[in-house]
């Protein structure tokens, strides 16, 4: 495995030509996907700036051009009209000022009449590598030009250097803009700090630290926070770091949420109960970002990084890593967030596979299972003799579903645990599974639980075995994300 020097990781991209060959090379990989957003080269991590503006969805990702390594970060831009078909647009934010000299870090977007305004963290480092985070803003005009404005404000001296990932929120009730930012107190506790202004581009002042009763000591840094309103509930979504949760192995990176009520006057988020709900029960999901639904303020669409910080993946040796999840529609049901695949995805269905005739599982497909009750056992990408594979088991006595990737040939991040269990008190009645060459997203019971994971099947792992009383439908899926080279 290559070790990267600091110079290599933080090398500035001067011309697209510097990564053209790398793009050509990784395009040949057996693990490149067909309907997921993946890095044009190098590493993709968080989704950023997810927004609808003037008939177009914009979605950016944190991008390090050089390989599967976290180094100098850019915002790479993709667009879609339907949230299914995505087009590569090229680099949007470059770390090219003194305020973001070591990275244009994560952030969010606000649509305005004639532009999309992008808010991000400028990751400045001094020569001695001391970090100073700036909250920066870019105007992305309709003609595609991106104009950097002066930073809105610098680091808050009352917190450590860990202050990043601004989420812009406009509160119509009091006509105020808020920036919700992940931070760390001097006592090394994770928190959210909030700035406010009457104008989106000037006069920002520190409003205070968000009070979240019961969560004063919950991880040492909260990354990528946001506050959404969904089905009449306020939802605080964030990634508490360096905290272990039951059933999640040695993993110290989680993405979850609290359901409750946000009081913007007192800056207090009061959770409904003391449960921190994990957003995704799979192995690879982090830094989720939501876009408001243009037609319904009570709905949002979520997308996440299908990856984890401090983790490595089999494609690292091919010099690329990461992809985004499918966009999912959020609702609240039974005081839980549910995530459903978008209806428009059905348009990707191609040939229906006759499971009486074959047990070969396409590498790009959708599987739907409707249970008639009882235990279920699925092996996806098993070997011809029935061994191996990604296992999905439902135990009707225990009322639990387990996803286990320990039997696959290519195992990775094993210390994070290789099996994830989710109780299903009402039983399992429905599965929708989306497979795309090196990823799998399992939607249980109409969005009750989602498991998102990377998987890297080898040539001998290609069969589907299913046991249980259920009807199964399987379709090949069409390509929706064009893997073209756009880097300007
Ligand atoms: C989360 C994160 C963010 C940061 C970005 C840098 O994965 O660490 O907090 O802004 O990635 O790429």
């Amino acid at each position: 495995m290559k070790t990267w020097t600091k110079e290599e990781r933080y090398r500035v991209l001067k011309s697209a030509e510097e990564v053209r060959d790398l793009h050509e090379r990784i395009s040949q990989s057996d693990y490149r996907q067909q309907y997921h957003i993946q890095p044009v080269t190098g590493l993709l991590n968080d989704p950023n700036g997810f927004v609808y503006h003037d008939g177009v969805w914009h979605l950016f990702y944190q991008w390090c051009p050089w390989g599967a390594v976290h180094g100098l970060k850019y915002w790479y831009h993709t667009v879609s009209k339907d949230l299914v078909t995505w087009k590569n647009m090229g680099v949007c934010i470059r770390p090219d000022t003194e305020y973001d000299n070591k990275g244009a870090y994560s952030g969010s977007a606000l649509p305005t009449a004639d532009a999309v305004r992008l808010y991000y963290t400028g990751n400045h480092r001094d020569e001695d590598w001391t970090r100073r985070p700036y909250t920066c803003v870019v105007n992305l005009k309709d003609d595609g030009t991106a104009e950097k404005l002066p930073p809105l404000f610098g680091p808050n001296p009352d917190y450590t250097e860990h202050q990043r990932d601004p989420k812009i929120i406009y509160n119509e009730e009091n006509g105020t803009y808020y920036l919700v930012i992940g931070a760390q107190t001097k006592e090394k506790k994770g928190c959210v700090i909030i700035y406010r202004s009457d104008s989106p581009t000037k006069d920002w002042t520190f409003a205070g630290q968000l009070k979240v009763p019961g969560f004063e000591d919950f991880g040492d840094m909260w990354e990528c926070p946001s506050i959404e309103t969904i089905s009449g509930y306020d939802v605080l979504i964030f990634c508490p770091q360096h905290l272990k949760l039951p059933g999640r192995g040695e993993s110290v990176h989680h993405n979850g949420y609290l359901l409750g009520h946000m009081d913007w006057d007192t800056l207090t988020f009061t959770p409904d109960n003391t449960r921190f709900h994990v957003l995704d029960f799979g192995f690879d999901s982090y830094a989720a970002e939501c876009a408001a639904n243009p037609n319904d303020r009570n709905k949002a669409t979520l997308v996440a990084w299908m990856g984890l910080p401090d983790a490595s993946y089999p494609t690292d040796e091919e010099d690329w890593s990461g992809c985004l999840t499918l966009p999912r529609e959020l609702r609240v049901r039974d005081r839980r967030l549910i995530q459903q695949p978008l209806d428009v995805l059905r348009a990707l269905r191609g040939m229906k596979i006759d499971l009486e005739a074959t047990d070969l599982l396409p590498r790009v497909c959708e599987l739907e299972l409707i249970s008639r009750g009882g235990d279920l056992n699925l092996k996806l990408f098993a070997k011809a003799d029935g061994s191996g594979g990604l296992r999905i088991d439902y135990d009707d006595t225990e009322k639990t579903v387990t996803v286990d990737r320990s039997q696959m040939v290519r195992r990775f991040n094993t210390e994070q645990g290789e099996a994830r269990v989710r109780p299903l008190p009402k039983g399992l009645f429905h599965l929708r599974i989306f497979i795309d060459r090196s990823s799998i997203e399992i939607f249980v019971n109409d969005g009750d639980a989602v498991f998102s994971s990377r998987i890297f099947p080898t040539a001998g792992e290609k069969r589907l075995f299913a046991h249980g009383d259920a009807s199964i439908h399987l379709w090949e899926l069409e390509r929706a994300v064009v893997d073209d080279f756009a880097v300007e």
Side-chain angles (χ1 to χ4, degrees):
M1 179 82 74
K2 176 172 166 57
T3 33
W4 295 78
T5 63
K6 200 192 271 182
E7 285 67 32
E8 286 170 328
R9 290 195 289 138
Y10 287 91
R11 181 175 153 200
V12 173
L13 182 72
K14 298 208 177 93
S15 135
E17 293 313 308
E18 292 175 290
V19 286
R20 188 184 287 278
D21 289 351
L22 178 54
H23 174 80
E24 282 301 306
R25 175 156 62 82
I26 67 175
S27 303
Q28 311 303 317
S29 167
D30 188 41
Y31 297 121
R32 290 298 276 183
Q33 304 199 61
Q34 304 214 357
Y35 60 97
H36 284 82
I37 294 174
Q38 59 197 341
V40 61
T41 62
L43 176 136
L44 166 159
N45 59 304
D46 312 356
N48 294 155
F50 189 19
V51 76
Y52 182 80
H53 170 63
D54 208 11
V56 177
W57 291 93
H58 297 263
L59 178 53
F60 306 78
Y61 59 78
Q62 285 282 286
W63 179 50
C64 181
W66 306 114
V69 67
H70 291 270
L72 193 62
K73 296 287 171 71
Y74 295 73
W75 275 42
Y76 189 92
H77 188 192
T78 64
V79 292
S80 175
K81 292 219 161 132
D82 57 5
L83 288 170
V84 175
T85 315
W86 292 92
K87 184 169 155 35
N88 283 350
M89 297 298 284
V91 184
C92 180
I93 307 181
R94 293 168 185 276
D96 57 3
T97 69
E98 65 168 301
Y99 303 107
D100 56 15
N101 67 344
K102 290 294 175 276
Y105 275 12
S106 287
S108 55
L110 180 77
T112 67
D114 60 346
V116 172
R117 222 155 257 148
L118 306 174
Y119 296 81
Y120 71 98
T121 299
N123 183 48
H124 167 91
R125 284 196 189 266
D126 296 339
E127 298 225 316
D128 66 0
W129 213 245
T130 307
R131 192 207 302 259
R132 277 188 282 141
Y134 288 86
T135 299
C136 301
V137 62
V138 160
N139 259 341
L140 175 63
K141 302 214 191 100
D142 286 348
D143 66 8
T145 52
E147 171 203 19
K148 278 189 183 175
L149 307 183
L152 300 177
F153 47 87
N156 187 318
D158 294 333
Y159 295 82
T160 72
E161 59 166 27
H162 293 289
Q163 304 170 31
R164 54 180 175 266
D165 312 335
K167 171 78 186 187
I168 179 80
I169 296 172
Y170 178 61
N171 183 330
E172 281 178 5
E173 278 163 28
N174 62 9
T176 304
Y177 294 91
Y178 293 93
L179 280 167
V180 167
I181 297 176
Q184 181 183 60
T185 67
K186 293 229 158 125
E187 294 73 41
K188 303 265 188 318
K189 309 280 183 223
C191 68
V192 167
I193 53 177
I194 300 185
Y195 287 73
R196 58 177 291 161
S197 175
D198 295 336
S199 150
T201 51
K202 57 181 185 354
D203 302 334
W204 285 88
T205 53
F206 179 57
Q209 182 177 323
L210 181 69
K211 294 181 264 313
V212 190
F215 290 85
E216 293 80 3
D217 187 4
F218 194 68
D220 67 12
M221 160 70 191
W222 290 4
E223 293 191 310
C224 305
S226 91
I227 298 170
E228 308 290 332
T229 304
I230 294 157
S231 316
Y233 285 86
D234 293 326
V235 188
L236 173 62
I237 300 177
F238 60 107
C239 301
Q241 286 193 297
H242 308 125
L243 167 90
K244 286 193 191 159
L245 293 177
R248 294 179 66 83
E250 293 301 302
S251 180
V252 290
H253 290 106
H254 316 281
N255 198 175
Y257 68 94
L258 301 168
L259 220 59
H261 173 70
M262 177 65 198
D263 183 336
W264 289 99
D265 292 331
T266 61
L267 298 185
T268 306
F269 187 95
T270 310
D272 255 13
N273 62 35
T274 51
R275 277 288 295 281
F276 172 78
H277 300 284
V278 170
L279 265 178
D280 194 304
F281 293 86
F283 301 97
D284 304 291
S285 175
Y286 199 71
E289 146 125 74
C290 295
N293 185 308
N295 304 317
D296 185 342
R297 283 197 301 120
N298 258 315
K299 280 190 185 164
T301 308
L302 174 145
V303 66
W305 168 26
M306 220 189 303
L308 286 179
D310 304 332
S312 44
Y313 292 89
T315 60
D316 289 8
E317 61 197 30
E318 299 176 355
D319 288 324
W320 70 281
S321 152
C323 67
L324 299 183
T325 64
L326 289 171
R328 295 129 186 220
E329 188 165 296
L330 296 180
R331 298 214 177 96
V332 175
R333 190 168 64 206
D334 297 337
R335 297 181 162 249
R336 298 291 291 255
L337 217 46
I338 62 162
Q339 300 175 49
Q340 289 170 313
L342 302 176
D343 279 345
V344 279
L345 267 178
R346 290 179 201 272
L348 288 187
R349 285 180 182 171
M351 194 174 78
K352 189 156 187 199
I353 312 283
D354 177 3
L355 286 169
E356 301 284 311
T358 181
D359 62 2
L360 291 178
L361 182 63
R363 291 283 298 280
V364 183
C365 63
E366 178 191 343
L367 185 152
E368 182 170 26
L369 179 149
I370 300 146
S371 169
R372 287 183 282 269
D375 290 353
L376 286 170
N377 308 98
L378 278 182
K379 290 181 200 165
L380 308 179
F381 299 111
K383 294 184 191 146
D385 65 1
S387 67
L390 179 94
R391 308 284 176 96
I392 305 173
D393 294 311
Y394 170 63
D395 180 329
D396 196 40
T397 314
E398 297 291 325
K399 300 260 183 290
T400 54
V401 63
T402 304
V403 176
D404 183 339
R405 65 177 177 186
S406 65
Q407 305 301 310
M408 302 281 301
V409 171
R410 292 199 130 179
R411 295 166 65 194
F412 51 98
N413 299 332
T414 51
E415 68 291 350
Q416 320 245 338
E418 292 184 276
R420 291 279 159 84
V421 184
R422 162 85 153 91
L424 295 177
K426 294 184 188 156
L428 185 146
F429 51 87
H430 187 239
L431 292 175
R432 261 182 97 189
I433 303 178
F434 292 87
I435 293 172
D436 190 3
R437 299 202 76 84
S438 58
S439 71
I440 181 162
E441 290 163 275
I442 305 165
F443 292 83
V444 181
N445 288 352
D446 207 17
D448 255 358
V450 187
F451 294 77
S452 305
S453 299
R454 301 304 302 276
I455 48 167
F456 298 87
T458 52
E461 298 171 283
K462 51 187 179 196
R463 285 167 208 274
L464 163 68
F465 293 95
H467 295 285
D469 191 6
S471 50
I472 299 182
H473 306 276
L474 183 64
W475 297 267
E476 288 183 351
L477 294 185
E478 310 282 341
R479 176 181 273 279
V481 175
V482 178
D483 208 1
D484 53 355
F485 184 68
V487 179
E488 278 311 339

